[in-house]
């Protein structure tokens, strides 16, 4: 998602993107390099300042790591072993993790969706639960284990270590301080909707992904991918003081149209990332595409073709994705996609920057 603030872009204004397969092959679990590695529904993706990728894998309930040379290893968790155990990376257990973010201190943060908790993997490989209580859902704000979430999905971390969480089934966006204190930044628990406004006056409908920029603005993919409805089909912006506005898309109007602001259309978007230049990238999951939003609100499609899913490398619309759920961007403007339905990790490079 889930994206950290330092991720910048050497974005080229109008370049075509060349998409290739970085790692993964078929639906199975295997460490290794490139096509030797295998994933089982990768959902979240993040990139650190050294070029390492971190991937949450839904069906295996693990967190994987991809080194810059393409070597895939298991960072934490055990394949097919569900639980909430903290401890060393090999002892720790997760329960259908979704979102992932990496801080400037190289700590990795995970939305452990079915445990209703937020977990941390330290740079030394120790896993801890920093907010929420395993298997206890709720809406409570408060410190650490006193807070409650309901199937949180997206997560992002700012430069100062503040966490932002898409608390999907509570219809809210939450904030976690360095001290582990959880508050509700925007939205009203248990009350879906599409209203702009400040704090509890705003409404979301199954927010899925979050990203945060260097000024502390939070971007939200507000779409119900998990349910039978289309959700709000919008990308929202939350200022540091909690004011929510709709940046692009039109509530309740799915589609794949490019355009500016409300003229653009999205379909069940899950993932969002932002560069330090303010360019936003969207994994438009139901549309089977990767989108870009310029700071002025102009939306364009960088890869894939609207609702024409598949598995193909290529340039721009010649590439094919299958329910891509997350996107990350590194300092060079390279995109990384968790191509969930294809069980692969894809890479997108602007053609004039290769």
């Amino acid at each position: 998602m889930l994206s950290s603030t330092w991720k910048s872009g050497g974005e080229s204004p109008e370049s075509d993107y060349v998409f290739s397969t970085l790692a993964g092959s078929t639906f199975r679990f295997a460490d290794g390099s490139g096509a030797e590695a295998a994933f089982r529904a990768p959902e979240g993706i993040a990139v650190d300042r050294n070029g390492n990728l971190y991937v949450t894998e839904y069906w295996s309930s693990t967190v994987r790591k991809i080194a810059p040379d393409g070597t895939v290893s298991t960072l934490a968790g055990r394949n097919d072993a569900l639980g909430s155990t903290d401890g060393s990376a090999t002892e720790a257990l997760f329960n259908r993790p979704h979102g992932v973010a990496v801080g400037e201190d190289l700590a990795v943060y995970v939305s452990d969706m079915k445990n209703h908790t937020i977990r941390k993997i330290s740079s030394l490989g120790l896993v801890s639960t920093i907010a929420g209580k395993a298997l206890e859902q709720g809406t409570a704000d408060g410190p650490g284990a006193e807070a409650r979430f309901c199937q949180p999905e997206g997560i992002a971390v700012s430069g100062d270590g503040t966490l932002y969480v898409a608390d999907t089934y509570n219809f809210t966006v939450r904030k976690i301080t360095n001290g582990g204190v959880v508050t509700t930044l925007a939205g009203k628990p248990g009350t879906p909707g599409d209203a702009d406004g400040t704090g509890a006056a705003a409404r979301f409908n199954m927010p899925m992904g979050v990203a945060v920029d260097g000024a502390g603005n939070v971007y939200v993919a507000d779409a119900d991918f998990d349910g039978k409805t289309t959700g709000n089909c919008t990308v929202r912006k939350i200022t540091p003081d909690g004011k929510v506005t709709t940046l692009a898309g039109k509530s309740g109007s799915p589609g794949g149209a490019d355009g500016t602001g409300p003229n653009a259309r999205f379909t069940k978007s899950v993932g969002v990332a932002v560069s330090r230049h303010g360019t936003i990238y969207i994994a438009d999951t139901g549309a089977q595409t990767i989108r870009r939003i310029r700071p002025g609100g102009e939306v364009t499609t960088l890869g894939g073709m609207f609702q024409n899913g598949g598995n193909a490398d290529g340039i721009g619309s010649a590439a094919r994705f299958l329910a891509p759920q997350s996107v990350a961007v590194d300092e060079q403007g390279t995109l990384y996609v968790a191509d969930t339905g294809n069980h692969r990790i894809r890479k997108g490079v602007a053609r004039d920057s290769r």
Side-chain angles (χ1 to χ4, degrees):
M1 105 100 51
L2 265 82
S3 162
S4 183
T5 58
W6 62 263
K7 293 172 193 168
S8 66
E11 302 107 324
S12 176
E14 301 298 336
S15 296
D16 291 327
Y17 274 73
V18 181
F19 289 92
S20 59
T21 301
L22 178 64
S25 52
T26 58
F27 179 77
R28 59 189 179 91
F29 184 90
D31 290 336
S33 296
E36 296 175 358
F39 299 88
R40 299 174 63 199
E43 293 201 349
I45 192 166
V47 58
D48 71 19
R49 62 174 179 269
N50 298 318
N52 298 293
L53 295 173
Y54 302 90
V55 177
T56 49
E57 195 169 330
Y58 186 82
W59 287 113
S60 72
S61 287
T62 58
V63 181
R64 315 288 291 279
K65 180 179 180 179
I66 308 176
D69 65 0
T71 301
V72 179
S73 60
T74 301
L75 180 66
R78 298 201 302 272
N79 181 31
D80 276 340
L82 302 180
S84 59
T85 305
D86 288 335
S88 69
T90 55
E91 296 171 342
L93 298 177
F94 298 85
N95 191 354
R96 310 304 185 200
H98 178 84
V100 62
V102 57
E104 295 196 36
D105 61 355
L106 302 184
V108 176
Y109 299 92
V110 178
S111 289
D112 199 3
M113 183 180 174
K114 296 299 183 179
N115 273 330
H116 313 292
T117 56
I118 306 302
R119 315 286 292 279
K120 177 181 178 180
I121 308 170
S122 75
S123 59
L124 299 177
L126 297 176
V127 179
S128 59
T129 301
I130 61 173
K133 187 174 182 181
L135 303 180
E136 292 194 13
Q137 66 185 53
T139 64
D141 289 336
E146 295 181 16
R148 295 291 181 270
F149 300 86
C150 188
Q151 298 193 60
E153 300 211 15
I155 189 168
V157 57
S158 68
D160 66 2
T162 302
L163 296 175
Y164 298 90
V165 178
D167 197 4
T168 305
Y169 284 76
N170 276 330
F171 311 108
T172 56
V173 176
R174 314 288 290 279
K175 179 179 178 179
I176 308 176
T177 67
N178 278 315
V181 178
V182 179
T183 56
T184 300
L185 178 64
K188 185 177 180 180
T191 308
D194 64 356
D196 289 339
T198 300
R203 296 290 183 271
F204 301 91
N205 192 354
M206 306 289 279
M208 305 295 292
V210 289
V212 58
D213 68 18
N217 298 297
V218 177
Y219 302 91
V220 183
D222 191 15
D224 177 12
F225 181 76
D226 292 332
K228 295 180 180 179
T229 70
T230 57
N232 281 337
C233 308
T234 53
V235 178
R236 316 287 291 279
K237 178 181 179 179
I238 311 174
T239 60
D241 61 358
K243 182 179 179 181
V244 179
T245 55
T246 300
L247 184 64
K250 184 177 180 181
S251 177
S253 299
D258 290 338
T260 300
N263 295 318
R265 296 290 182 271
F266 301 91
T267 302
K268 290 181 174 282
S269 303
V270 172
V272 57
V274 60
S275 77
R276 74 179 180 193
H277 298 298
T279 301
I280 300 163
Y281 299 92
I282 302 291
D284 200 2
T285 311
Q288 318 287 0
T289 56
I290 305 302
R291 317 287 292 280
R292 176 177 63 194
I293 308 176
R294 290 290 188 191
E298 179 190 4
V299 180
T300 55
T301 301
L302 300 182
M305 184 177 289
F306 178 62
Q307 292 189 333
N308 194 338
N311 176 30
D313 293 335
I315 300 172
S317 61
R320 292 290 181 271
F321 303 90
L322 191 60
Q325 289 205 23
S326 294
V327 62
V329 56
D330 70 12
E331 292 184 344
Q332 288 72 45
T334 300
L335 302 180
Y336 300 94
V337 179
D339 193 4
T340 308
N342 282 322
H343 314 292
R344 289 164 167 81
I345 304 302
R346 313 288 291 280
K347 180 178 180 178
V349 180
R351 185 155 57 169
D352 65 358
S353 67
R354 288 187 300 163

